[in-house]
Amino acid sequence: MKMIRLTRHRNPKHSVTKALTIPMTENLRSDSGGIARAAALLKAGGLVALPTETVYGLGADARNGTAVAGIYAAKGRPSFNPLIVHVENGEHARRYGLWSDQAEVLAAAFWPGPLTLVLPLRPDHDLSSLVTAGLNSVALRVPAHRTAQAVLQAFGGPIAAPSANPSGRISATTAGHVLAGLADRIDAVLDDGPCTVGLESTIIGLNHARPTLLRAGGLPIEAIEAALGEALAIADGAKIIAPGQMDSHYAPAAQVRLNAKNARAGEVFLGFGSIPGDLNLSPSGDLTEAAASLFDHLHALDAMAKPIAVAPIPDHGLGRAINDRLRRAAAPR
Ligand code: TXA
Ligand code: MG
């Protein structure tokens, strides 16, 4: 990170006592120059937020412990949360995770795409131990997004990237969201417009007796079960296997009330389908559209600094992931 005094995108929430170590966040375009710059910053141990089809990720060289530590610092993330390692393709994934027939089936069906596989960690890996937070497993993802792929190829190594938001806050689906939360805490953001899926990847654990759903996300569970030919086990909520499942993990600053038919006095209302609101996740009742607009609408309503009431969302397909996020947003804290 560059040592500078004057910065662009200064975030007033961050203490001025850190002025000498605050980097100036570069706003990179997703062209060949921007991608080369992003790769150079990553090679130098920098932090670069980059788009994936799910959400923006806060990337660092997964082999560089200092760089990875920078991710936790920038996010203010509890250090026991392991990070997803992004790789170019399944062949690269095999360098880090112990492969199995089920890994092969899911990788062939859904990579590149919004799926993360948790596999036993290979003993001969060269990842920073901070990436896995000391676990003997590793979360691996091959993103489909053209810019994520271009950066992975230009960088030529594994990129650790959690969602590019301060810990416990709403995930970023635009470069503007990234800067709103992390400006001057990271070296650069690579802007390629809004994310198309708009929900984090679905996480499947293949390090248990049965394939296990660790986090619902952008890839419907039904599609995964169809590919595997068996039902997924559901992670035991009492035992935090994926810390992303923590209650109140996706919390807006405002209080959130679910399954509301209409707004009470003083509330802003997030509608769905025929139930109107200040904003509507999908006037036509389309769950894919609702997923793509979820974080955007939560950010926008949160900015109004009033309690948020949310219309009922059908609990199937992507609706399950949306409801999972909304329950966390509404959890007591
Ligand atoms: O779509 C996504 O998945 C985005 C984009 C940037 O790829 N990334 C993302 O990362 O959502 P993050 O760090 O916000 O969430 C990663 C989740 C966390 O809940 C973490 O605990 C879990 O993955 N995880 C990582 N490694 C794990 C492991 N070895 N075992 C179990 N869970 C793991
Ligand atoms: Mg996250």
Side-chain angles (χ1 to χ4, degrees):
M1 292 184 187
K2 291 170 299 302
M3 305 297 185
I4 46 122
R5 281 167 198 281
L6 294 173
T7 60
R8 283 182 281 148
H9 307 305
R10 171 58 62 77
N11 184 329
K13 276 184 286 197
H14 304 143
S15 159
V16 287
T17 60
K18 286 181 156 183
L20 289 176
T21 54
I22 290 173
M24 177 171 67
T25 300
E26 296 177 31
N27 209 337
L28 303 175
R29 279 217 302 270
S30 179
D31 53 18
S32 57
I35 284 158
R37 177 70 183 148
L41 285 167
L42 290 169
K43 283 179 190 162
L47 300 182
V48 180
L50 52 130
T52 81
E53 68 275 25
T54 56
V55 297
Y56 274 71
L58 178 54
D61 184 345
R63 302 160 299 192
N64 178 335
T66 312
V68 174
I71 291 179
Y72 292 98
K75 282 182 63 93
R77 184 178 214 185
S79 59
F80 53 79
N81 267 25
L83 306 177
I84 296 176
V85 176
H86 298 71
V87 290
E88 247 175 271
N89 52 41
E91 195 186 317
H92 285 210
R94 283 180 188 74
R95 295 180 188 168
Y96 306 108
L98 282 175
W99 214 242
S100 61
D101 290 348
Q102 287 174 328
E104 184 55 36
V105 166
L106 293 181
F110 302 115
W111 276 354
L115 171 71
T116 295
L117 295 179
V118 173
L119 301 175
L121 185 61
R122 268 176 65 151
D124 57 347
H125 73 89
D126 60 355
L127 301 174
S128 149
S129 61
L130 266 184
V131 166
T132 55
L135 300 174
N136 57 9
S137 57
V138 61
L140 292 159
R141 174 167 176 230
V142 178
H145 196 284
R146 59 179 178 180
T147 301
Q149 275 289 334
V151 173
L152 280 164
Q153 283 163 30
F155 173 60
I159 298 178
S163 51
N165 51 277
S167 188
R169 306 308 298 269
I170 304 167
S171 295
T173 53
T174 66
H177 295 163
V178 174
L179 289 172
L182 296 174
D184 290 340
R185 294 186 173 201
I186 66 177
D187 292 283
V189 58
L190 194 51
D191 187 351
D192 196 10
C195 302
T196 52
V197 176
L199 286 176
E200 294 93 338
S201 59
T202 301
I203 305 182
I204 302 297
L206 294 179
N207 55 336
H208 307 279
R210 282 179 53 202
T212 302
L213 177 67
L214 298 178
R215 180 178 75 183
L219 182 65
I221 293 157
E222 292 88 338
I224 297 168
E225 293 183 330
L228 285 172
E230 66 175 296
L232 292 168
I234 307 294
D236 177 1
K239 190 172 161 232
I240 297 175
I241 301 174
Q245 297 180 83
M246 277 188 300
D247 283 349
S248 105
H249 189 78
Y250 298 94
Q255 288 297 312
V256 178
R257 185 168 70 86
L258 302 183
N259 294 315
K261 294 286 183 322
N262 42 47
R264 293 177 185 153
E267 285 179 338
V268 288
F269 194 72
L270 181 57
F272 177 80
S274 59
I275 304 183
D278 297 283
L279 292 172
N280 193 318
L281 285 171
S282 170
S284 65
D286 178 340
L287 289 169
T288 304
E289 183 189 17
S293 53
L294 178 65
F295 289 124
D296 232 5
H297 283 6
L298 282 177
H299 274 288
L301 293 177
D302 203 22
M304 297 180 191
K306 291 179 180 167
I308 301 169
V310 186
I313 311 294
D315 202 37
H316 58 80
L318 284 181
R320 286 172 70 174
I322 293 169
N323 282 320
D324 175 77
R325 297 297 181 280
L326 288 171
R327 274 192 296 276
R328 290 177 209 294
R333 53 184 187 272

